[in-house]
Amino acid sequence: MNPIASGSVLITGPTSGLGRATALALARRPAAERPDLLLVGRPGRHLSEVAREASAAGATVREIGCDLSRLADVRSAGQTVQRLLDSSAVRPLRGLIANAGVGMIDTHTTSADGYELTFAVNHLAHARLVGDLLGSFAAPARIVLLGSNTYHQNVFRRVLHVPPARWRDPIELARPTPADEPATLELGGIAYSTSKLAILYYAHELQRRAPAGISVTVFEPGFMPGTGLGRERGVGLQRIGRLVQRVPGVSSPARSGPALASVVLDDRWAHLRDGAFVVKDRERAVKAFAHDRIREARLWEATAELLDSARV
C-alpha cells in the first residue's frame, strides 16, 4: 500500500471549489489507495454535505468545524485532530493540505484576532495548524500548501491588472489598512499575492525545521476564474470567470482537484521536498527572489510573535 494512503489526510477548506474537488478525489480512490479524511472547515450544511458524499464513496471521514479566521478555532481544531489520533479513531496522520484561502478587496477587514484577513487566513491560520500538528505526523508524510503564481507578474497578469507581491516585514503585513486610507482593488490584489509569496517563504523554512520524513510542497492549481475565492470581486466578474472556465487549458476545481490529490498521495511525487513548486501537474522553478533565507527566517520568527499575541 502507498504509505500516505495507509494513514489520514487533513484538508482545510473542503466545502467548495478546489477543496471539495480534492476531498472527493481522495475519497473516490480505490480502497487500497484511499486515506482517512479529516475535513477542517466552517461548520454547517456544506461541510456535512461533502462529508456525507465522501463517506458514500467509501472513505472514513471526520468533520472538524473550524473558522480559520479565528486562531482559537484553529487551535481547537488541532486539538480535536490530536484526540482522534491518540484514540486511534483515525489512522496516523500522513498528509495535510492547507487549501483554504481568501482574497479580500477590502484590506481594512480583520480576522477575529485583529490581523488583515487575507494574511490571517492564507498564512497565519495554516501556520498555527501545521505548527500544532508537526510533531504528530507519522513519516513518511507530506504537507502541501496552496500557492499562486500571482507572487510575481507576467504579461498575462499585467493585462488582467493582477498586481504582484509587495514584501514588507511580516508584522506590517498582518496589519490592516488604516481606517483613514481607502481600500482599493489593487491593495486587495497585493495582499493576496503577498500572502502567496509568504507561503513560499514559509514552505522553505518549514522544511528546514520539520522532522525527518516530512516533505513540504507548494501547489499552484492554475488560473481558476469563477471559483468561490473571487466572491469578494462582485457578481459580474464571477460570471465572466465562469465563462472563461470553458476556454481550453483554463483550470477548474474538477481539473485541479484530482491533481492536488495526486500531489499529496501518489508515488510520482514522493521525491518532492524543500517547498518544491508544482503548477497543476508539473514541477516548476520559482523566481530567484522567492528563495531568501533572511526573509524566510524573519517570517518564521514574526509568525511565532503574531500567533503568541493572539493567544487567549
Side-chain angles (χ1 to χ4, degrees):
M1 178 185 286
N2 177 306
I4 309 301
S6 71
S8 296
V9 171
L10 183 157
I11 179 169
T12 66
T15 57
S16 64
L18 179 64
R20 180 184 178 89
T22 303
L24 294 178
L26 289 167
R28 290 166 181 160
R29 288 291 186 104
E33 302 174 16
R34 185 191 303 133
D36 294 348
L37 297 180
L38 304 171
L39 304 182
V40 177
R42 284 183 179 273
R45 176 172 60 87
H46 296 300
L47 183 61
S48 296
E49 284 176 354
V50 71
R52 282 195 298 270
E53 194 167 345
S55 295
T60 296
V61 181
R62 292 291 185 275
E63 294 179 48
I64 302 172
C66 174
D67 180 348
L68 271 78
S69 71
R70 297 177 176 273
L71 288 170
D73 260 29
V74 179
R75 168 147 277 183
S76 178
Q79 292 168 344
T80 298
V81 171
Q82 191 62 61
R83 286 194 295 270
L84 290 169
L85 294 170
D86 291 344
S87 66
S88 299
V90 294
R91 290 180 286 174
L93 183 62
R94 292 191 182 272
L96 187 151
I97 303 173
N99 162 77
V102 298
M104 305 300 296
I105 289 178
D106 188 353
T107 50
H108 298 119
T109 308
T110 62
S111 70
D113 304 285
Y115 301 135
E116 192 279 317
L117 190 59
T118 299
F119 188 76
V121 172
N122 294 1
H123 171 60
L124 290 176
H126 289 117
R128 171 84 282 160
L129 186 61
V130 170
D132 286 349
L133 293 174
L134 196 55
S136 300
F137 285 91
R142 301 179 194 175
I143 297 172
V144 184
L145 310 174
L146 259 290
S148 171
N149 265 324
T150 61
Y151 78 91
H152 73 95
Q153 196 168 62
N154 61 10
V155 173
F156 175 71
R157 287 187 284 278
R158 188 175 294 114
V159 169
L160 290 178
H161 303 289
V162 178
R166 188 180 297 169
W167 192 255
R168 295 175 289 152
D169 186 83
I171 301 296
E172 291 294 322
L173 295 177
R175 290 182 181 141
T177 298
D180 60 351
E181 294 182 17
T184 65
L185 185 60
E186 182 183 23
L187 282 178
I190 290 169
Y192 179 79
S193 298
T194 305
S195 77
K196 294 303 181 178
L197 179 57
I199 285 168
L200 288 169
Y201 288 152
Y202 173 70
H204 302 152
E205 191 67 21
L206 175 61
Q207 185 70 81
R208 296 183 191 111
R209 296 168 182 267
I214 299 177
S215 64
V216 183
T217 303
V218 179
F219 178 78
E220 151 70 282
F223 178 50
M224 289 197 302
T227 63
L229 189 62
R231 62 182 174 270
E232 295 296 325
R233 282 159 167 72
V235 174
L237 283 178
Q238 289 182 55
R239 287 174 179 166
I240 292 170
R242 284 190 287 270
L243 291 174
V244 174
Q245 275 188 341
R246 300 174 186 176
V247 176
V250 172
S251 296
S252 68
R255 299 184 190 106
S256 295
L260 176 51
S262 177
V263 168
V264 77
L265 197 61
D266 289 340
D267 290 340
R268 172 188 174 188
W269 305 105
H271 67 286
L272 296 179
R273 56 175 287 112
D274 298 326
F277 193 56
V278 176
V279 179
K280 294 192 275 192
D281 62 353
R282 293 188 181 182
E283 186 177 358
R284 303 286 191 185
V286 296
K287 298 297 181 182
F289 69 84
H291 285 279
D292 187 317
R293 285 202 173 221
I294 293 174
R295 287 182 175 182
E296 289 159 7
R298 173 55 186 155
L299 176 63
W300 190 273
E301 175 187 68
T303 296
E305 292 175 18
L306 292 164
L307 295 178
D308 284 344
S309 296
R311 286 180 181 169
V312 294

